Each structure stands twice: as C-alpha cells, then as structure tokens.
Amino acid sequence: MSFYVRMFSSNCTRRKKTTMSSNLIIFITGANTGLGFETVKSLCQSPKAYMILLGGRSIEKANAAAEQAQKEFPKSASIIKTVQVDIEDDDSISQAFGHVASQYGRIDILVNNAGKDFEYSSKPVTG
Ligand SMILES: NC(=O)c1ccc[n+]([C@@H]2O[C@H](COP(=O)([O-])OP(=O)(O)OC[C@H]3O[C@@H](n4cnc5c(N)ncnc54)[C@H](OP(=O)(O)O)[C@@H]3O)[C@@H](O)[C@H]2O)c1
C-alpha cells in the first residue's frame, strides 16, 4: 500500500526524465514468477506496445525473467525493463520510486502483485 501511495501521490511528471515513452508504462511488482510473470508474458503477446517494468526483490531473478520473456516473445512490440523493489523494505521502495521517476517519469498502471499465497486452514463451526 505504501508503495502505491508514494507512486501516485507524487507528481513524477515534473521531474527530469531520461527515458520518455509514449507507450503505456506498466509496473508489475513480484513479476519474476507466478501470476506476475504470467502477466508480463501476456502483455508481451499483445500487438500493443507497452513499456513493462518487471519488478523483483532480486534484480538477478528479475533480469533472468525478463530475458526468458524476451526469448519466448522475440517479436513482441513491448519493451521490458527491470526494477529492484522489495515491497516490505522502505529503502527499497524509495530507491525504486527514485529510479522510476528519473528514468520513466511516470507509471500509468501499477499491478501491485508481489506477495504470498497464504493457505488458511478452516475449522468447522460447531455449537
Ligand atoms: N495463486 C493464487 O491462487 C492466488 C490467490 C489469491 C491471491 N493471490 C495473490 O497473487 C499474488 C501472486 O501470487 P502467485 O501465486 O503468483 O505467488 P508466487 O508464485 O509465490 O509469486 C509471488 C511473487 O511475489 C514476489 N514477492 C514476495 N514477497 C515480495 C516482497 N516483499 N517484495 C517484492 N516481491 C515479493 C516473489 O518474489 P521471489 O521470487 O523473490 O520470492 C514472487 O515473484 C500474491 O500477492 C498472492 O497473494 C494468488
């Protein structure tokens, strides 16, 4: 939540940008595996061109996932860039914010997917 609030409460567009993109910029956290990675691959298959920011708490895993998606979809219209972000670490969130603000200037869509699939055990209610 804190990541979401910081990204959208600041006006990134006023900052200096080094990479301009006229395409939709989609940032997906926890995107190196699971549903996040499937989302990246799904976007890669679209005829529309996106700037996909593939977030991972391990930049090595994120880079490997980006490479895999690019190999799988070499003709994709989209571009994949990686961003290190651990959503449980305020410093990492601040650094990711600074990186995205300076490199891309904005985020159009945030898919805050990072997390864990908790299995809950349920007990029958009696009485
Ligand atoms: N799969 C389901 O049936 C289901 C159902 C309901 C909700 N969800 C939710 O959907 C999301 C994705 O589920 P999934 O099944 O794809 O899970 P997954 O395969 O376990 O993938 C989770 C991803 O989140 C990353 N991650 C975990 N903690 C992180 C953190 N603190 N900072 C940054 N990244 C972090 C993981 O990174 P590492 O590779 O570094 O561990 C991994 O890339 C989760 O939020 C989950 O709660 C899933």
Side-chain angles (χ1 to χ4, degrees):
M1 179 55 100
S2 133
F3 182 77
Y4 180 89
V5 169
R6 283 196 211 182
M7 279 294 177
F8 288 93
S9 62
S10 273
N11 186 348
C12 297
T13 55
R14 288 196 193 140
R15 297 184 182 216
K16 188 181 170 209
K17 303 164 198 84
T18 57
T19 306
M20 294 298 292
S21 176
S22 55
N23 300 329
L24 271 184
I25 300 177
I26 304 179
F27 189 1
I28 307 165
T29 64
N32 56 280
T33 189
L35 297 175
F37 188 49
E38 292 305 316
T39 306
V40 170
K41 291 197 288 183
S42 181
L43 291 169
C44 284
Q45 294 175 71
S46 169
K48 280 190 181 173
Y50 299 106
M51 172 68 81
I52 303 167
L53 304 185
L54 188 161
R57 58 179 158 182
S58 152
I59 194 65
E60 289 79 16
K61 284 189 194 175
N63 287 338
E67 204 176 310
Q68 189 184 325
Q70 278 155 353
K71 269 190 195 154
E72 251 180 82
F73 306 103
K75 293 185 178 163
S76 175
S78 295
I79 293 170
I80 305 175
K81 300 284 184 184
T82 55
V83 179
Q84 194 280 330
V85 65
D86 182 336
I87 61 159
E88 293 173 282
D89 178 341
D90 282 350
D91 290 340
S92 172
I93 292 169
S94 292
Q95 281 176 22
F97 174 83
H99 175 73
V100 171
S102 67
Q103 293 297 308
Y104 306 103
R106 69 179 204 280
I107 289 174
D108 298 305
I109 298 171
L110 173 67
V111 182
N112 205 6
N113 158 81
K116 214 166 171 55
D117 191 18
F118 297 102
E119 281 185 30
Y120 297 98
S121 59
S122 58
K123 291 180 186 168
V125 179
T126 54

